[in-house]
């Protein structure tokens, strides 16, 4: 419930943050979103073992809204500064998330299960994340772009008549119904097959290492074979690997599935926004289009996960 709610809000809030980004509210979105994420982490330290509602409130609701306000604008801002190598730079920007997902879980595991304990461990984590958010807010700059040439309603109407956008949204929505399954259940599945809890914890770290490499290389490969072609390859590969989880039985299979699925899932996520940008003739409408696409591609998949 917590992870599903966070994911649901992170993509659906883009329906609000996207148009606001187009209208020049970038800094407001980043500051408010970063503050909400920081507050949610610090408040999480107050939760007790029997207070699930607090975890759902802070880690699910508050953090989800904060991520939703910052995610789309922080990726879309890259399009203002690059034109020829936009896909490459966007994929490099997106690689920060899995890199953090490699370091942060290991850090948390040692903090929470060590002598420091839950309270101080979460506070250290909150301080660490808040510092990185501050650096991000201070580092990003906007360029003066033309104001949106159309209202949000008109952009939505144009999207509904754009065959390529419609096909992309439909395909991504269907694909993402299963996309989150390995991310949520690879660790649990390995435990259920008799693999040690300690190694099973690192299965997600292994998956995120693959995702980090995938996001780093996605832009380079896509520049040669095309963003759309690379996206199709990644979705087909991920679909086959989801089915291969039936054969998961030992440590070797966890490593293989984790690395390969992590790689192709990283490629897909890294190219999703560049693909929307490539299909957007007027970049002043990019934020609105991202919000519209994310609402469909993320709503049902995140809820079903």
């Amino acid at each position: 419930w917590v992870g599903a709610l966070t994911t649901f809000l992170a993509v659906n809030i883009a329906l609000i943050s996207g148009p606001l980004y187009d209208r020049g509210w970038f800094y407001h979105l980043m500051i408010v979103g970063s503050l909400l994420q920081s507050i949610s982490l610090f408040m999480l330290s107050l939760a007790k073992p029997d207070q699930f509602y607090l975890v759902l409130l802070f880690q699910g609701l508050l953090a989800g809204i904060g991520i939703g306000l910052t995610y789309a604008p922080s990726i879309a801002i890259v399009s203002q500064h690059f034109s020829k190598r936009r896909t490459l730079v966007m994929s490099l920007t997106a690689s920060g998330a899995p890199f953090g997902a490699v370091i942060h879980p290991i850090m948390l595991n040692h903090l929470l299960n060590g002598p420091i304990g839950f309270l101080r461990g979460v506070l250290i984590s909150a301080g660490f994340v808040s510092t990185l958010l501050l650096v991000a807010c201070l580092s990003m700059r906007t360029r003066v772009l033309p104001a949106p040439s159309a209202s949000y309603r008109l952009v939505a109407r144009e999207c509904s008549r754009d065959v390529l956008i419609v096909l992309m949204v439909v395909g991504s929505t269907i694909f993402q119904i299963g996309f989150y399954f390995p991310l949520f259940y690879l660790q649990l599945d390995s435990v259920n097959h008799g693999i040690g809890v300690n190694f099973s914890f690192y299965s997600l770290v292994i998956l995120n290492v693959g995702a980090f490499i995938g996001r780093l290389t996605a832009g380079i490969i896509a520049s040669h074979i095309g963003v759309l072609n690379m996206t199709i390859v990644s979705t087909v590969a991920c679909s086959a690997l989801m089915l291969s989880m039936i054969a998961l039985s030992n440590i070797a299979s966890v490593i293989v599935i984790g690395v390969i699925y992590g790689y192709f899932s990283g490629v897909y996520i890294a190219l999703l926004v560049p693909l929307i940008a490539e299909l957007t003739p007027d970049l002043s409408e990019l934020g609105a289009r991202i919000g519209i696409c994310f609402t469909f591609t993320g709503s049902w998949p995140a809820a079903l996960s």
Side-chain angles (χ1 to χ4, degrees), residues 8-295:
F8 178 84
L9 291 172
V11 293
N12 277 272
I13 295 296
L15 192 62
I16 299 172
S17 62
L20 290 177
Y21 162 82
D22 289 336
R23 282 156 176 76
W25 288 59
F26 173 77
Y27 294 114
H28 304 80
L29 292 168
M30 292 302 302
I31 293 172
V32 174
S34 297
L35 284 174
L36 288 177
Q37 292 180 63
S38 180
I39 292 171
S40 69
L41 290 173
F42 278 107
M43 296 301 292
L44 182 64
S45 64
L46 303 177
K48 305 298 180 183
D50 58 342
Q51 294 177 326
F52 175 74
Y53 66 94
L54 287 180
V55 179
L56 185 66
L57 175 62
F58 297 134
Q59 191 65 23
L61 182 63
L62 202 60
I65 295 174
I67 295 171
L69 292 176
T70 57
Y71 175 59
S74 64
I75 298 295
I77 191 68
V78 178
S79 65
Q80 295 187 6
H81 299 273
F82 295 88
S83 55
K84 293 182 180 180
R85 299 183 179 179
R86 182 180 297 132
T87 299
L88 173 61
V89 179
M90 279 185 165
S91 64
L92 291 175
T93 303
S95 67
F99 181 69
V102 171
I103 298 174
H104 207 183
I106 297 175
M107 182 186 78
L108 276 177
N109 188 44
H110 288 283
L111 289 174
L112 302 183
N113 297 317
I116 292 180
F118 178 81
L119 175 61
R120 286 183 291 175
V122 172
L123 289 176
I124 292 173
S125 171
F128 176 65
V129 173
S130 299
T131 301
L132 294 178
L133 287 170
L134 178 61
V135 172
C137 289
L138 294 175
S139 301
M140 288 184 280
R141 292 290 183 272
T142 59
R143 295 179 65 184
V144 179
L145 290 179
S149 57
S151 65
Y152 187 71
R153 183 178 298 179
L154 184 58
V155 174
R157 187 180 303 170
E158 290 175 355
C159 285
S160 67
R161 296 173 180 174
D162 190 327
V163 177
L164 291 178
I165 283 287
V166 170
L167 290 176
M168 188 216 74
V169 170
V170 171
S172 296
T173 302
I174 295 173
F175 168 70
Q176 286 190 206
I177 291 175
F179 174 78
Y180 291 100
F181 183 83
L183 304 179
F184 277 84
Y185 295 107
L186 179 62
Q187 181 178 358
L188 179 61
D189 204 12
S190 62
V191 172
N192 290 338
H193 282 81
I195 300 173
V197 175
N198 288 333
F199 180 82
S200 296
F201 165 80
Y202 286 99
S203 63
L204 290 181
V205 175
I206 293 170
L207 189 149
N208 279 298
V209 169
F212 174 65
I213 298 172
R215 297 195 191 195
L216 277 180
T217 58
I220 300 173
I221 301 174
S223 64
H224 295 286
I225 69 174
V227 177
L228 180 59
N229 293 332
M230 190 61 185
T231 304
I232 293 172
V233 169
S234 65
T235 54
V236 171
C238 285
S239 300
L241 288 163
M242 289 177 207
L243 295 175
S244 71
M245 287 187 66
I246 299 172
L248 191 150
S249 59
N250 51 39
I251 293 177
S253 61
V254 173
I255 295 174
V256 171
I257 293 174
V259 171
I260 301 178
Y261 185 84
Y263 178 83
F264 284 106
S265 65
V267 169
Y268 169 77
I269 291 296
L271 295 181
L272 186 57
V273 174
L275 181 58
I276 298 172
E278 194 168 275
L279 299 176
T280 301
D282 184 0
L283 286 181
S284 68
E285 302 174 358
L286 179 59
R289 289 204 173 206
I290 290 174
I292 293 169
C293 293
F294 277 14
T295 298

